[in-house]
Each structure stands twice: as C-alpha cells, then as structure tokens.
Amino acid sequence: MSRNPESTERRFRGKILGVGTTSGVRIVVGMWERSPFGPFTDVFLEQADGSSVLLAPDELVAAYVSGTYRFDTVSVVDLRARRTARGLDLDAGPLQASIDVGGISPLGRVLRIVPKPIARDWRWLTAIDPVARLVAPGAGTAGSAGNGRREYYGVTGAHDVTGVRGTWAGESLGSIAPLDPPVAFGFASMPRIPQVVDVETTIREPV
C-alpha cells in the first residue's frame, strides 16, 4: 500500500482494544488491517497522573496520528502485536502486555442489528452520535480532530476484554479495571467496560 496518501478522506479499518488497569494505566490499541499507511499497530496510553503517550511503529504514523490526537509524549518503538488463543500479546517498547479477549459483548449484540454499510456511513454516524454518548458516556461516533479534521467511528462488532497482565516502564499494570476516567486523546473515549471493537475510522481533512 502507498505510504504517501494524497486523498482528503482517509479510511482505517481494523480493531480498537480498550482496557483499564488497577495501576491506573489505561490502554487503547489500534490494530489496523487496512489504512493509507498499510497495516500497522499503534498504542495510545494514559498514565495514572493523566499524562498521555503515543507509541507508534514509525515516524510517518507518529506524525499523522499525533497531528490528529493529543499526546504529551510521542515515541517511535519496535511494536509487535501477536494474536493468541487467549487474545493478544503486545510488545511495544516500555509496554509489555498480554490481554485476554472473550465472547461477544452486549454492545456487540446490539451492533449486529445495523447493516455494516450503514454502520460505516458518516451521515449515520453523525446522526447517532448523541445517542452513542448517552449509551456509552465518554464515547462518540463523530467529532472534530486535530488540524481541522473531522473523524467518524463506524463500529460493527464488539467482544469483551476479560483480563490483562504485564508491565509499563518496568512497573506492573496490575489487573483489569474499567477504562475510567475516560481517555482524552481526541473527541471520544472507548467505552468504560473493557472491550475490543471492529471499526472503520474515516478522517476527513479540509480541502
């Protein structure tokens, strides 16, 4: 895939995993199977003191993502995400984590009602944004991003995250906890209940 996209509308299709920990570290992992930059994984992390970190696999992804979301620190690291029978093993510089993924969540069962082409359409996502924020406080489906961009989250499936083990900067993450308080990288957070969602993110840039 091209590493020099020129389109004013960019689509990222894959999965986003969000989980809190008893250490206060909250983690959001983006696993993108299709994107203008090719397949990649990145990590948004918010520490117990509220400071935010982006872990990116290369400088191009780091520049684009940090121009869309807000971070206190941006680091390019050797980043590997490996799916396992239990869920996901993540090796991302100072973050080492094993995350367990369970069955379809209650949100996932609701999402099955909406046909996928509609669920990914920016007009639908704009219309349902107020409802999404009521159902999952902190979350949203449409909003403003950095540098005049508009962003839309088309979520089509969801599974529960049931466990997490690992370390951040050499310190234990502890065990699984709600994603609370909500992370504040952009216009919306992941839901409070830890889960992994199937998503197409559309970012529209000013012409």
Side-chain angles (χ1 to χ4, degrees):
M1 295 186 183
S2 171
R3 303 289 290 189
N4 297 292
E6 297 179 356
S7 173
T8 57
E9 182 173 281
R10 298 179 177 179
R11 296 179 182 270
F12 299 75
R13 185 174 292 183
K15 299 179 184 294
I16 301 178
L17 184 152
V19 62
T21 68
T22 53
S23 69
V25 173
R26 284 145 289 146
I27 303 164
V28 177
V29 184
M31 296 164 282
W32 304 108
E33 300 159 2
R34 294 173 55 190
S35 88
F37 309 110
F40 71 92
T41 297
D42 58 1
V43 178
F44 299 4
L45 184 144
E46 198 164 284
Q47 303 182 87
D49 64 3
S51 58
S52 58
V53 180
L54 167 64
L55 303 174
D58 60 42
E59 295 287 355
L60 183 59
V61 169
Y64 186 79
V65 174
S66 62
T68 305
Y69 304 94
R70 299 183 298 272
F71 301 97
D72 297 310
T73 304
V74 176
S75 297
V76 174
V77 300
D78 185 10
L79 203 160
R80 294 185 295 275
R82 183 173 64 87
R83 295 185 183 180
T84 68
R86 296 182 66 170
L88 179 74
D89 282 348
L90 187 64
D91 181 352
L95 176 65
Q96 309 291 318
S98 293
I99 301 170
D100 300 335
V101 177
I104 297 172
S105 68
L107 173 62
R109 287 190 283 272
V110 172
L111 291 169
R112 286 182 163 185
I113 298 170
V114 182
K116 289 184 179 181
I118 295 175
R120 295 169 177 152
D121 189 286
W122 69 270
R123 292 160 294 191
W124 166 259
L125 296 170
T126 300
I128 67 167
D129 181 65
V131 177
R133 293 178 186 275
L134 285 174
V135 172
T141 56
S144 60
N147 294 314
R149 298 165 181 163
R150 293 285 299 174
E151 186 171 17
Y152 307 89
Y153 288 125
V155 180
T156 58
H159 286 70
D160 288 319
V161 171
T162 58
V164 61
R165 301 164 302 283
T167 59
W168 164 248
E171 299 292 332
S172 174
L173 291 170
S175 56
I176 191 170
L179 202 72
D180 186 45
V183 293
F185 311 111
F187 74 86
S189 175
M190 285 286 288
R192 184 176 184 275
I193 299 172
Q195 54 197 286
V196 56
V197 300
D198 301 308
V199 63
E200 180 172 283
T201 299
T202 301
I203 299 177
R204 289 183 153 191
E205 303 183 2
V207 177

